[in-house]
Amino acid sequence: MNSIKNVPARVLSRRPGHSLEAEREQFDKTQAISISKAINSQEAPVKEKHARRIILGTHHEKGAFTFWSYAIGLPLPSSSILSWKFCHVLHKVLRDGHPNVLHDCQRYRSNIREIGDLWGHLHDRYGQLVNVYTKLLLTKISFHLKHPQFPASLEVTDEVLEKAAGTDVNNIFQLTVEMFDYMDCELRLSESVFRQLNTAIAVSQMSSGQCRLAPLIQVIQDCSHLYHYTVKLMFKLHSCLPADTLQGHRDRFHEQFHSLRNFFRRASDMLYFKRLIQIPRLPEGPPNFLRASALAEHIKPVVVIPEEAPEDEEPENLIEISTGPPAGEPAVVADLFDQTFGPPNGSLKDDRDLQIENLKREVELLRAELEKIKLEAQRYISQLKGQVNSLEAELEEQRKQKQKALVDNEQLRHELAQLRALQLESSRNQGLREEAERKASATEARYSKLKEKHSELINTHAELLRKNADTAKQLTVTQQSQEEVARVKEQLAFQMEQVKRESEMKLEEQSDQLEKLKRELEAKTGELAHAQEALSRTEQSGSELSSRLDTLSAEKDALSGAMRQREADLLAAQSLVREKEAALSQEQLRGSQERGELQGRLAEKESQEQGLRQRLLDEQFAMLRGAAAEAQGILQDAVSKLDDPLHLRCTSSPDYLVSRAQAALDTVSALEKGHAQYLTSMADASSLVAALTRFSHLAADTIINGGATSRLAPTDPADRLVDACRECGARALELLGQLQDQQALPRAQPGLVRTPLQGILQLGEELKPKSLDVRQEELGAMVDKEMAATSAAIEDAVRRIEDMMNQARHKSSGVKLEVNERILNSCTELMKAIRLLVMTSTSLQKEIVDSGRGAATQQEFYAKNSRWTEGLISASKAVGWGATQLVESADKVVLHKGKYEELIVCSHEIAASTAQLVAASKVKANKHSPHLSRLQECSRTVNERAANVVASTKSGQEQIEDRDTMDFSGMSLIKLKKQEMEIQVRVLELEKTLEVERMRLGELRKQHYVLAGVMGTPSEEDTNRPGTAPRSGASKKPPLAQKPTVAPKQDHQLDKKDGVYSAQLMNY
């Protein structure tokens, strides 16, 4: 049999049948290594080569299934740096990965949201950044799923943007709002990163600073595209709607423009970004949307990523996803840089010509690459066809040999039949010979000859039998070789089909890219044609103007001739007039003398009136400038109080802040009206001075009370409130400076102060306490009572555990006694740790009250901080209730009346309740307080003791529970199959029961959150009725601890089937 020559290595590797599994294992291993190296807890930026391998993996498998299968197992809740780098890698995968990545990430929205919410509730620097980053990723996923025309990289042409916007004004309006929200999320992340860098005095060359700054490269790329699209959509909206309707859109765009310009400026000044990205420059001012021709002045900002050095180690089978060859990239980068920042020597180039040349060059390169790919594919296909033809020839030869072997076999069978007939005939001849011997001796010679012939026939028959056996073996070997050839042929056919599909896919991708470049080239050609048409129209209008100028010059000559004729007539008339003038000269001289005297008197009166009017205007402006200077001093003093250390102990309530902010907002309208009246009539500045005086006092009062209110608010709202106060002061001081300058006075806009005042008002509304369960004078007594009740409940639990231990020693023995003692000892240790934690919490609470109440009493301090007090009461109730439930569950377990799972759940509940108590105590504690350190140590001890209870419970459960082994002796196959079906039915029933119980658990949790929200919001009758003190027992579980108020955001992608429900959160 001939051997198969020139078989490709991939075919040979597939012959054992394990190549696909090996490739998959190698791919999974490579992805796992890249993900573990890219997403780790080291405070350093993600290496580009690891992220690139992850992105190429998504293109290899056309999705992010492998990425999420490994990412879902990362311990993200344990490290904020790990979560930050996970968000960074996910952002890069969304931007540069396969388009199916977006749909795969949609399935894990709840995981992303849970990570963001978890770190958002913790006071961790990276945790706050992770919270902002997850919101950005969720917004990005939602936007691109809703608008599939925009890829995750946001790179689309203007034609696609026009098609996505459509012609309906409502769709354009909604798309603009969604892009504004998208841009807000991007800018919020950049502001959070820069705020932490300023706070930590970090340098961009340090690893900690680079770890925070690395994701901003993707933010810069997204923001450049979003800015260009919002400018296009805003001009389109202004062409369809009146300007007053879009005032809110313009204000929001201006705010984002200044924030984005500041972001680009600060990023371009950092050394870290200069070697990684070329950041475009935005114009000094935002576009004027009220002027349609301003669209032509708009230049699209282009972000350029310089070409990176090649990596040392790269996998062999990589997918090329770039659209251009590497050799042409530097020229393209230089062209894009010149288009964005201008030519280096000031020389002017036509951007359209450069773009057309670049596109032509890219088209030629793509054509060459396409031809190269086609030639390679054809050569590979021809090689495979040659191998297939050779194999078919060998197969045909094997078929011929098979036919020949079959013919030989038939001939051997025929000869064997003849031999058998001869054998029968010889037997008959032997009988005849014996008979002939009796008859005659003459036949003896013939008999001997026949005997010799018979022996020859027997030998021939044996030899033919051996040949038949050899032929059968050869036929078997031939059939096996034929089967092997058929199998190899099938493998080659499969490989050829796969190569054809891969080549067709590559050809389709290249053709799509070529079509895309052709469309872009046609679009640029169309723009060039429009420009040429505009130039021709300009030349035509110039020729018309020249012809019109010639006509006007001819008319001028005719008019000059007529004027000369009129001058001649005038000279003739003057000769007649001189005669009349001589007679009238005396009378005119007398009249001129009288007129001169009257004009002198009139001029004197007018000069006096003008001087009085100018004096009045100067006095009015001086009065306005003095009032503005006094108001500026008041506001500067109010702004300085925000950083005054002597003012740090001053506090205020959100209600008073809201009243002051509302009063200041009311004065803004009066200030606008007074400004308009003064511009109309500058002789009367009384209304403007009165409005300015009232506004300055109310604005200063709002700023001071805003700073005082922020000292009692949580960290994030407090920072936002102080920033809003500073912005209000800056806007007001800018307005007052314009009012003091007579040149800038008409350009002053008092309405700009309304936005920061509204922000202060909104923050004050959010900081208002939402509920009071009891009267404020009773809160202090309730705190002491609840802490005492908790301590008493813990002491009672310790005594009951000791009694249960004594009873277990009398009633149990052996393994049960050992298990009960271990469980009760772990419960005792847990109760001791909880008692020590409650005592430490009480000491820390007293320290907080003594340091914060000042000259006020303890009850007044509790009443002033009612949210915090209610949190302490709720936490202490939860600890007491958990201790009681733990003792009851332990008693049931020891008496064999309860379940071990109840004891495990009670341990988890106690750990959660103590964590709630620690969080409530930590809110107002000094971070350097020794009591706080001891409280945190006690909290860790409680968690360890609770874990010991769970471990001892599980180990005891494993020791006591009997695990019967199944006896398979004497069971037939039918019985085993029957029991297998019964067990499968039981498994399905248990799975259905588990699903129902999980749904019930979700409903119970939802109702729990609803009840907690209802209890946190009293009715009008409850506010007028004095609150009753709660019972001091621990027999009823208290409501959950109240959390800071967060404005709810609608999420249409939230599904109740996931077991996630919205919850109303409260302030401490």
Side-chain angles (χ1 to χ4, degrees):
M1 174 178 173
N2 297 329
S3 61
I4 301 175
K5 298 180 180 180
N6 298 327
V7 180
R10 295 175 61 183
V11 176
L12 293 175
S13 64
R14 282 200 180 116
R15 295 176 84 172
H18 301 285
S19 60
L20 294 177
E21 292 77 1
E23 289 180 3
R24 184 63 189 180
E25 290 178 1
Q26 182 65 24
F27 173 73
D28 292 341
K29 182 178 179 181
T30 305
Q31 288 295 300
I33 293 173
S34 301
I35 292 171
S36 61
K37 289 184 178 180
I39 306 174
N40 51 40
S41 58
Q42 297 179 0
E43 193 172 7
V46 178
K47 289 188 178 181
E48 191 65 26
K49 63 179 181 180
H50 302 317
R52 188 184 301 112
R53 287 174 181 171
I54 296 172
I55 293 170
L56 291 176
T58 62
H59 287 276
H60 179 73
E61 67 173 354
K62 295 180 174 54
F65 176 78
T66 303
F67 171 76
W68 276 108
S69 64
Y70 287 107
I72 202 70
L74 294 175
L76 299 181
S78 63
S79 174
S80 57
I81 299 177
L82 193 69
S83 302
W84 172 252
K85 298 178 81 171
F86 164 73
C87 294
H88 183 196
V89 173
L90 181 58
H91 196 175
K92 293 176 75 66
V93 169
L94 283 172
R95 277 189 55 83
D96 303 328
H98 195 270
N100 294 336
V101 170
L102 198 63
H103 300 280
D104 293 338
C105 293
Q106 171 66 14
R107 305 188 187 100
Y108 297 93
R109 283 179 58 89
S110 58
N111 300 85
I112 301 173
R113 186 181 297 106
E114 287 175 2
I115 293 299
D117 294 341
L118 171 65
W119 289 111
H121 293 154
L122 300 177
H123 296 284
D124 186 88
R125 289 188 176 274
Y126 275 102
Q128 299 299 325
L129 294 179
V130 170
N131 184 19
V132 179
Y133 210 160
T134 53
K135 293 179 181 177
L136 169 59
L137 294 176
L138 293 174
T139 304
K140 186 179 186 67
I141 293 172
S142 301
F143 178 82
H144 292 291
L145 286 176
K146 186 176 181 181
H147 302 285
Q149 302 90 347
F150 294 92
S153 60
L154 288 171
E155 295 180 359
V156 297
T157 60
D158 294 340
E159 291 79 6
V160 177
L161 178 64
E162 293 288 338
K163 184 178 179 180
T167 57
D168 191 0
V169 180
N170 296 323
N171 294 337
I172 302 173
F173 194 92
Q174 182 64 27
L175 181 59
T176 307
V177 172
E178 292 176 359
M179 285 194 175
F180 281 154
D181 296 338
Y182 200 163
M183 179 74 82
D184 284 338
C185 294
E186 301 276 1
L187 295 176
R188 195 177 298 116
L189 177 60
S190 64
E191 291 172 359
S192 302
V193 171
F194 282 130
R195 189 184 301 117
Q196 286 201 9
L197 289 177
N198 293 337
T199 305
I201 318 178
V203 184
S204 64
Q205 296 302 315
M206 297 174 63
S207 60
S208 60
Q210 292 178 0
C211 184
R212 291 181 171 90
L213 290 174
L216 296 187
I217 296 176
Q218 283 72 41
V219 173
I220 292 172
Q221 292 176 326
D222 291 345
C223 289
S224 63
H225 294 294
L226 290 174
Y227 169 74
H228 176 65
Y229 300 153
T230 51
V231 170
K232 290 282 188 180
L233 293 175
M234 286 290 289
F235 273 109
K236 192 169 185 178
L237 282 176
H238 279 78
S239 65
C240 301
L241 296 175
D244 296 338
T245 307
L246 300 173
Q247 181 63 41
H249 273 48
R250 287 197 299 274
D251 295 341
R252 190 173 182 184
F253 177 83
H254 291 167
E255 182 179 356
Q256 289 185 353
F257 173 80
H258 293 298
S259 300
L260 182 61
R261 187 173 181 273
N262 187 24
F263 168 41
F264 281 3
R265 179 182 57 79
R266 294 181 64 178
S268 60
D269 293 339
M270 292 186 175
L271 295 176
Y272 175 71
F273 291 110
K274 289 185 178 180
R275 65 183 181 86
L276 296 176
I277 189 172
Q278 294 180 3
I279 304 174
R281 299 177 183 174
L282 295 182
E284 295 296 330
N288 186 8
F289 299 112
L290 302 179
R291 184 167 56 89
S293 60
L295 178 59
E297 303 172 1
H298 169 67
I299 299 176
K300 178 181 179 180
V302 180
V303 177
V304 180
I305 303 294
E307 182 180 5
E308 298 180 359
E311 299 293 341
D312 295 335
E313 297 180 0
E314 288 294 333
E316 296 180 358
N317 299 325
L318 297 181
I319 301 172
E320 182 63 29
I321 60 173
S322 61
T323 59
E329 287 182 359
V332 177
V333 171
D335 293 342
L336 292 175
F337 184 82
D338 292 341
Q339 293 175 12
T340 306
F341 301 98
N345 297 327
S347 61
L348 297 178
K349 294 182 178 180
D350 193 354
D351 295 338
R352 295 173 179 171
D353 295 337
L354 291 176
Q355 291 180 1
I356 291 171
E357 291 175 1
N358 293 334
L359 291 175
K360 288 181 178 179
R361 189 161 49 252
E362 290 177 2
V363 168
E364 294 298 326
L365 292 174
L366 288 175
R367 285 178 179 174
E369 186 177 2
L370 182 60
E371 293 296 328
K372 183 179 179 181
I373 292 172
K374 286 182 178 179
L375 292 175
E376 290 179 357
Q378 290 177 358
R379 184 170 62 254
Y380 194 61
I381 290 171
S382 61
Q383 182 180 0
L384 291 176
K385 286 182 178 179
Q387 294 176 1
V388 170
N389 293 331
S390 63
L391 291 174
E392 287 178 352
E394 291 178 0
L395 181 60
E396 187 66 27
E397 184 178 357
Q398 292 295 329
R399 286 178 180 174
K400 291 179 180 179
Q401 291 180 0
K402 180 182 177 182
Q403 294 293 333
K404 185 178 179 181
L406 291 174
V407 172
D408 294 338
N409 192 15
E410 290 295 332
Q411 291 178 357
L412 290 174
R413 286 180 181 176
H414 181 66
E415 291 177 358
L416 180 61
Q418 289 179 355
L419 289 174
R420 287 178 180 176
L422 290 174
Q423 186 178 5
L424 293 175
E425 185 177 358
S426 65
S427 63
R428 287 194 301 269
N429 290 332
Q430 187 177 1
L432 293 173
R433 187 197 60 183
E434 293 175 353
E435 191 175 5
E437 284 177 352
R438 290 191 301 266
K439 290 181 178 181
S441 60
T443 59
E444 184 176 358
R446 186 179 178 184
Y447 171 74
S448 60
K449 292 180 181 180
L450 289 174
K451 187 176 180 180
E452 291 175 1
K453 187 67 174 176
H454 179 260
S455 60
E456 290 178 2
L457 289 175
I458 290 174
N459 293 332
T460 306
H461 177 63
E463 186 178 357
L464 289 175
L465 288 176
R466 287 194 298 270
K467 288 182 179 181
N468 189 17
D470 294 338
T471 304
K473 291 181 181 179
Q474 186 178 3
L475 181 61
T476 304
V477 173
T478 304
Q479 290 178 352
Q480 292 178 355
S481 62
Q482 186 178 3
E483 293 176 356
E484 180 70 20
V485 169
R487 184 167 60 253
V488 171
K489 182 179 179 181
E490 291 178 357
Q491 291 179 357
L492 289 175
F494 176 73
Q495 182 183 4
M496 187 173 69
E497 290 296 330
Q498 187 175 2
V499 170
K500 286 182 179 179
R501 287 196 296 269
E502 292 178 357
S503 61
E504 288 176 358
M505 290 175 61
K506 290 183 179 179
L507 289 175
E508 289 178 358
E509 292 178 358
Q510 296 295 334
S511 62
D512 292 339
Q513 295 176 0
L514 184 60
E515 290 297 331
K516 182 178 179 182
L517 291 176
K518 285 182 179 180
R519 289 195 296 270
E520 293 180 356
L521 182 61
E522 291 175 358
K524 297 300 181 181
T525 307
E527 293 180 359
L528 181 61
H530 290 312
Q532 292 177 354
E533 291 178 0
L535 182 61
S536 62
R537 287 196 297 270
T538 305
E539 293 176 354
Q540 184 178 2
S541 61
S543 61
E544 292 178 356
L545 288 175
S546 61
S547 62
R548 187 176 179 183
L549 182 62
D550 295 337
T551 305
L552 291 176
S553 60
E555 293 179 356
K556 180 180 178 182
D557 294 337
L559 291 175
S560 61
M563 185 177 66
R564 286 193 295 270
Q565 183 67 28
R566 292 293 179 88
E567 287 178 356
D569 296 338
L570 182 61
L571 291 175
Q574 285 178 356
S575 60
L576 297 175
V577 170
R578 289 193 189 96
E579 296 176 359
K580 301 294 182 180
E581 286 179 352
L584 296 175
S585 60
Q586 296 180 355
E587 187 176 357
Q588 288 177 353
L589 180 62
R590 185 174 60 253
S592 63
Q593 291 177 355
E594 294 177 355
R595 187 168 57 254
E597 292 177 357
L598 293 174
Q599 287 179 353
R601 293 178 183 177
L602 180 61
E604 184 179 358
K605 293 292 183 180
E606 288 178 353
S607 62
Q608 291 179 359
E609 184 179 358
Q610 186 69 24
L612 292 174
R613 186 180 296 107
Q614 185 64 33
R615 182 178 178 184
L616 177 61
L617 294 176
D618 294 338
E619 288 177 354
Q620 291 293 324
F621 182 74
M623 180 177 64
L624 175 60
R625 184 166 55 190
E630 184 66 23
Q632 189 174 13
I634 294 172
L635 288 171
Q636 288 177 350
D637 181 68
V639 173
S640 64
K641 290 292 180 63
L642 296 175
D643 300 325
D644 190 2
L646 300 177
H647 195 258
L648 291 176
R649 299 183 65 86
C650 297
T651 58
S652 179
S653 64
D655 295 326
Y656 187 73
L657 174 63
V658 169
S659 64
R660 295 293 87 194
Q662 186 62 46
L665 272 175
D666 295 337
T667 60
V668 174
S669 301
L671 186 62
E672 290 178 336
K673 184 177 179 181
H675 180 259
Q677 291 179 357
Y678 181 73
L679 292 179
T680 304
S681 176
M682 293 189 177
D684 185 11
S686 58
S687 59
L688 180 57
V689 170
L692 186 62
T693 304
R694 180 171 176 78
F695 167 76
S696 61
H697 285 85
L698 290 175
D701 197 6
T702 302
I703 293 172
I704 293 173
N705 282 281
T709 305
S710 67
R711 296 180 182 97
L712 296 179
T715 304
D716 192 9
D719 293 340
R720 289 191 283 119
L721 183 58
V722 172
D723 293 341
C725 293
R726 294 184 190 277
E727 184 181 1
C728 178
R731 293 281 182 89
L733 291 175
E734 182 182 359
L735 174 62
L736 293 175
Q738 292 177 349
L739 293 179
Q740 295 181 38
D741 188 4
Q742 196 167 7
Q743 300 295 330
L745 180 62
R747 297 192 303 270
Q749 297 180 2
L752 296 178
V753 191
R754 184 179 286 107
T755 302
L757 285 174
Q758 290 176 350
I760 295 174
L761 180 63
Q762 183 178 0
L763 290 172
E765 291 289 347
E766 292 178 359
L767 292 174
K768 276 187 176 181
K770 299 299 184 295
S771 65
L772 290 175
D773 294 336
V774 296
R775 292 183 298 178
Q776 294 182 350
E777 57 269 13
E778 298 178 3
L779 288 175
M782 283 183 62
V783 173
D784 297 336
K785 185 184 295 184
E786 289 299 332
M787 296 301 288
T790 303
S791 300
I794 294 171
E795 293 290 343
D796 182 54
V798 172
R799 286 194 299 272
R800 290 182 61 185
I801 291 173
E802 292 177 355
D803 295 339
M804 285 188 289
M805 187 176 297
N806 295 329
Q807 293 177 5
R809 289 171 181 171
H810 290 294
K811 297 181 180 180
S812 303
S813 62
V815 177
K816 292 185 179 179
L817 178 59
E818 180 185 354
V819 170
N820 292 336
E821 285 184 349
R822 187 162 61 247
I823 292 175
L824 294 176
N825 286 331
S826 60
C827 292
T828 304
E829 295 295 329
L830 176 59
M831 289 302 165
K832 290 180 181 179
I834 294 173
R835 179 171 58 187
L836 182 59
L837 182 137
V838 171
M839 294 171 62
T840 308
S841 177
T842 305
S843 302
L844 178 61
Q845 173 190 344
K846 291 180 180 179
E847 179 184 348
I848 293 171
V849 173
D850 293 338
S851 61
R853 65 187 178 91
T857 62
Q858 183 176 356
Q859 285 74 16
E860 291 177 352
F861 178 80
Y862 282 128
K864 186 176 182 180
N865 302 276
S866 58
R867 296 293 95 191
W868 175 70
T869 306
E870 291 177 357
L872 280 178
I873 293 171
S874 177
S876 61
K877 285 181 180 180
V879 172
W881 179 84
T884 304
Q885 292 297 320
L886 180 66
V887 172
E888 292 179 359
S889 299
D891 190 10
K892 292 180 181 179
V893 169
V894 171
L895 296 177
H896 305 289
K897 297 180 180 179
K899 299 179 180 179
Y900 290 95
E901 288 78 6
E902 296 179 0
L903 195 58
I904 294 174
V905 172
C906 289
S907 301
H908 290 313
E909 185 67 23
I910 284 180
S913 302
T914 53
Q916 179 181 344
L917 180 60
V918 171
S921 302
K922 187 180 176 182
V923 171
K924 290 189 173 294
N926 187 5
K927 62 180 180 180
H928 302 295
S929 173
H931 291 289
L932 178 59
S933 301
R934 286 196 295 272
L935 181 62
Q936 293 174 347
E937 183 66 28
C938 292
S939 176
R940 289 190 288 269
T941 304
V942 168
N943 291 333
E944 292 176 359
R945 297 293 185 269
N948 290 336
V949 172
V950 174
S952 60
T953 303
K954 290 183 178 179
S955 62
Q957 184 180 7
E958 292 177 355
Q959 290 181 4
I960 292 177
E961 288 182 351
D962 296 331
R963 301 184 182 274
D964 298 333
T965 58
M966 297 182 66
D967 185 12
F968 296 104
S969 61
M971 295 181 68
S972 63
L973 181 62
I974 300 301
K975 288 185 178 181
L976 288 173
K977 192 65 178 179
K978 182 178 180 182
Q979 288 192 6
E980 180 183 355
M981 293 179 64
E982 292 176 354
I983 290 173
Q984 288 180 357
V985 171
R986 180 60 178 166
V987 168
L988 292 176
E989 291 176 353
L990 292 176
E991 288 179 352
K992 183 175 181 181
T993 306
L994 178 61
E995 183 178 359
V996 172
E997 292 300 327
R998 282 179 176 170
M999 292 178 63
R1000 290 185 60 192
L1001 179 60
E1003 292 295 332
L1004 287 174
R1005 287 178 177 172
K1006 178 182 177 183
Q1007 188 64 21
H1008 191 180
Y1009 296 148
V1010 172
L1011 290 177
V1014 171
M1015 295 178 67
T1017 308
S1019 60
E1020 295 180 358
E1021 296 178 359
D1022 296 336
T1023 54
N1024 299 327
R1025 185 175 57 203
T1028 59
R1031 292 179 294 178
S1032 60
S1035 61
K1036 187 176 181 180
K1037 185 177 179 180
L1040 291 175
Q1042 298 164 348
K1043 299 291 191 307
T1045 301
V1046 179
K1049 289 188 175 181
Q1050 296 181 356
D1051 190 356
H1052 300 289
Q1053 287 72 26
L1054 192 62
D1055 193 359
K1056 292 186 178 180
K1057 293 182 179 178
D1058 298 333
V1060 181
Y1061 301 93
S1062 59
Q1064 184 177 2
L1065 305 178
M1066 300 295 174
N1067 272 330
Y1068 276 112

